[in-house]
Amino acid sequence: MTEDHINKKTSLTRMFTIKGHLEVRDNHLFIGGADTVELADTCGTPLYVTNEERVRENFRRFSGAFPGADIYYAAKANGSLAILRMLALEGAGADVFSGGELYMALLAGIPPSKILFNGNSKTDEELRMAVNTGVKVSVDSLDELHTLSGLAEEKERVVDIAFRVNPDVSPKTHPKISTGLRGSKFGIPASEVVHAYREAQELPGVRPAGIHCHIGSQILDLSPFTEMARKMMELVELVAGLGVKLDFIDLGSGLGVPYTKKENAPTPSDLAGAILPVFRERTEGLGIKPKLVLEPGRYIVADTTILLTRVNTVKRSSKNFVGVDAGFNLLIRPAMYESYHFVVAAGKAGDKPAGKYTIVGPICETGDVLAEDRDLPEIVKGDLIALLDAGAYGFSMSSQYNGRPRCAEVMVNNGSSEVIRKREGYDDLLANQRIPVRMLAAQER
Ligand SMILES: *Cc1c(COP(=O)(O)O)cnc(C)c1O
């Protein structure tokens, strides 16, 4: 044990504890007052654990920074029904990107008037669903505009629409989560937006009621937000000039969170400071009073949830490999975005580091690495590993790859816990599969 290691003891715990949310008691990691070691024993692993109170706090912190604005939670970040339901009770709207997300948001009790249906490639069936349920649609192309107009007219309905604008702003984040660059598949180029509104004004079944953009995710720098707000307000002026009455201006989200704990992430208030002055100045200048809409996903849920996983094997090879029971089937962010999740040995959370360990999953892929070269206490078979900040784009991106049923999800509230999604079994791998009858009848050679 080097001096460096000893010094790390206190600083390590300080790096991940958040009072009332993530704490170390009796050397165990606690989340929302619940002992993770007990949770793993009673519910099994792998296990996603969400602290309900933290979701609520994050939502309130975000909405509190934007008085009078509507907050449409981006359901794709974590679409578990219990989370959608609790956010509905908090007054959240929803940003949905598929018929399935729309279905679940409505089921959770989010009012249609507070739902924006996004998507660059919606099916006619999805657009019909939007027409029938009365939600707003963010239209991504003129092609989609014409389809939607026709479908709404058939039903003798008028759908409130916004156009998704591609403002050509670099969010300075991972390329796979940059959505507002000129080369991105999302949105209508800023130069064609006026034309699109003009066209919408002429068409039946659609009413241009808002304007929308979203430039990316995990954005840690405020300047792209300000640049985006400026560009959007320029467009608002042009669109208002056409006589379009804009009820809402949706500036998306993408607010980053500090995964490495050293990252300096802006707060919702910082974000408000970057965009509210532009928004207020320009709307007042134009004498219009549109509602501001924001669509945070990651910020609301990322730090609320941990993924608990059990150690199957420890192997000394080129590295100290710790084989756990969760892989990129359950948390794909490290493999897909080279992202970092803080790791805690949940049953020995206060122990001093004893070496560097690389946490790998059970998937048959070299890229199935959850965390590399982490300072951890001595890890042995049976230990419990917690991957922090797994609430956004964690379970929602999970798969059954490699014949692995998805894990359970638990919600904790002041020390007590409830299963919000039960663990899948092998029968879930078979659901919907059929063997052609002729193969069943055939003789094995
Ligand atoms: C994903 C997405 C969001 C949420 O992004 P976060 O980075 O999770 O805040 C908001 N709006 C749209 C249109 C999205 O696609």
Side-chain angles (χ1 to χ4, degrees):
M1 184 76 55
T2 63
E3 189 139 336
D4 196 30
H5 277 134
I6 293 162
N7 288 339
K8 268 184 188 147
K9 183 192 169 172
T10 43
S11 64
L12 259 186
T13 11
R14 211 183 295 132
M15 271 173 89
F16 66 82
T17 46
I18 298 173
K19 204 168 177 309
H21 175 41
L22 291 174
E23 294 168 318
V24 177
R25 291 187 214 161
D26 307 327
N27 221 21
H28 287 183
L29 175 68
F30 275 64
I31 177 167
D35 185 345
T36 56
V37 175
E38 270 176 35
L39 284 173
D41 284 345
T42 49
C43 305
T45 57
L47 185 70
Y48 269 102
V49 186
T50 297
N51 179 7
E52 176 180 344
E53 200 48 46
R54 186 70 180 173
V55 182
R56 192 168 287 120
E57 283 167 16
N58 288 349
F59 181 79
R60 290 183 182 174
R61 209 177 305 111
F62 196 101
S63 56
F66 295 93
D70 270 348
I71 309 300
Y72 292 1
Y73 168 64
K76 74 179 187 295
N78 187 330
S80 297
L81 212 46
I83 289 175
L84 293 176
R85 177 62 186 157
M86 69 159 296
L87 287 170
L89 295 172
E90 284 293 308
D95 154 41
V96 300
F97 218 86
S98 66
E101 284 182 1
L102 173 56
Y103 172 75
M104 289 190 286
L106 290 168
L107 204 64
I110 296 175
S113 61
K114 284 197 198 173
I115 295 178
L116 183 67
F117 193 166
N118 267 289
N120 63 297
S121 177
K122 305 180 190 86
T123 63
D124 287 9
E125 198 182 328
E126 285 175 320
L127 290 174
R128 249 179 236 119
M129 198 170 160
V131 172
N132 292 338
T133 55
V135 299
K136 294 179 286 202
V137 177
S138 176
V139 175
D140 195 87
S141 65
L142 289 181
D143 203 5
E144 183 187 337
L145 176 70
H146 289 275
T147 310
L148 180 62
S149 164
L151 293 172
E153 201 188 6
E154 260 171 40
K155 292 268 172 188
E156 294 176 10
R157 298 232 184 165
V158 177
V159 179
D160 279 357
I161 63 157
F163 282 105
R164 167 82 178 252
V165 175
N166 180 340
D168 191 16
V169 172
S170 169
K172 304 179 188 167
T173 183
H174 193 281
K176 283 189 186 159
I177 43 179
S178 297
T179 56
L181 278 167
R182 197 151 47 91
S184 147
K185 71 169 181 173
F186 299 105
I188 294 174
S191 58
E192 286 162 43
V193 165
V194 168
H195 170 68
Y197 278 90
R198 237 189 243 129
E199 192 135 344
Q201 281 177 304
E202 302 297 315
L203 287 172
V206 288
R207 182 179 82 92
I211 189 163
H212 173 223
C213 80
H214 171 69
I215 56 171
S217 198
Q218 186 52 15
I219 303 170
L220 294 170
D221 191 333
L222 287 171
S223 60
F225 290 115
T226 309
E227 187 188 343
M228 169 276 291
R230 287 217 181 91
K231 287 193 173 176
M232 287 297 284
M233 296 314 291
E234 294 286 323
L235 291 172
V236 164
E237 181 164 355
L238 295 176
V239 171
L242 297 174
V244 173
K245 186 180 168 291
L246 289 173
D247 297 340
F248 69 99
I249 297 174
D250 182 339
L251 298 182
S253 178
L255 184 61
V257 300
Y259 285 100
T260 67
K261 314 291 165 187
K262 283 182 220 145
E263 273 168 339
N264 239 337
T267 63
S269 309
D270 295 334
L271 178 63
I275 61 183
L276 281 185
V278 187
F279 175 80
R280 287 189 181 134
E281 188 196 324
R282 300 299 297 264
T283 48
E284 277 165 25
L286 291 168
I288 56 173
K289 286 201 166 77
K291 204 167 208 22
L292 175 64
V293 176
L294 292 146
E295 307 172 323
R298 188 188 305 276
Y299 181 83
I300 307 298
V301 285
D303 72 1
T304 67
T305 301
I306 61 173
L307 174 56
L308 284 178
T309 178
R310 186 79 72 185
V311 175
N312 288 324
T313 59
V314 180
K315 173 169 68 180
R316 260 174 219 281
S317 172
S318 60
K319 290 174 181 262
N320 280 334
F321 286 115
V322 175
V324 295
D325 60 8
F328 76 43
N329 54 318
L330 295 178
L331 183 64
I332 204 170
R333 299 189 63 257
M336 188 142 121
Y337 308 126
E338 289 122 38
S339 58
Y340 181 100
H341 287 269
F342 199 90
V343 169
V344 179
K348 23 179 110 159
D351 284 3
K352 294 168 193 163
K356 291 214 184 286
Y357 292 92
T358 291
I359 316 296
V360 297
I363 300 294
C364 185
E365 300 269 351
T366 310
D368 187 27
V369 177
L370 295 171
E372 258 187 294
D373 293 331
R374 300 305 175 80
D375 286 314
L376 291 170
E378 186 177 1
I379 301 297
V380 294
K381 177 178 169 61
D383 277 349
L384 197 58
I385 297 285
L387 292 138
L388 307 190
D389 305 312
Y393 309 103
F395 191 97
S396 65
M397 285 185 147
S398 64
S399 74
Q400 293 177 328
Y401 180 47
N402 244 187
R404 295 193 172 271
R406 289 185 187 81
C407 69
E409 287 184 290
V410 161
M411 192 176 252
V412 299
N413 186 333
N414 291 316
S416 61
S417 63
E418 289 148 297
V419 173
I420 58 169
R421 189 192 303 259
K422 69 177 208 177
R423 189 175 300 283
E424 290 181 354
Y426 290 145
D427 53 339
D428 293 292
L429 300 178
L430 304 182
N432 308 322
Q433 296 205 60
R434 302 283 182 276
I435 297 177
V437 172
R438 64 191 164 74
M439 291 183 190
L440 288 175
Q443 279 293 314
E444 280 147 35
R445 288 194 216 202

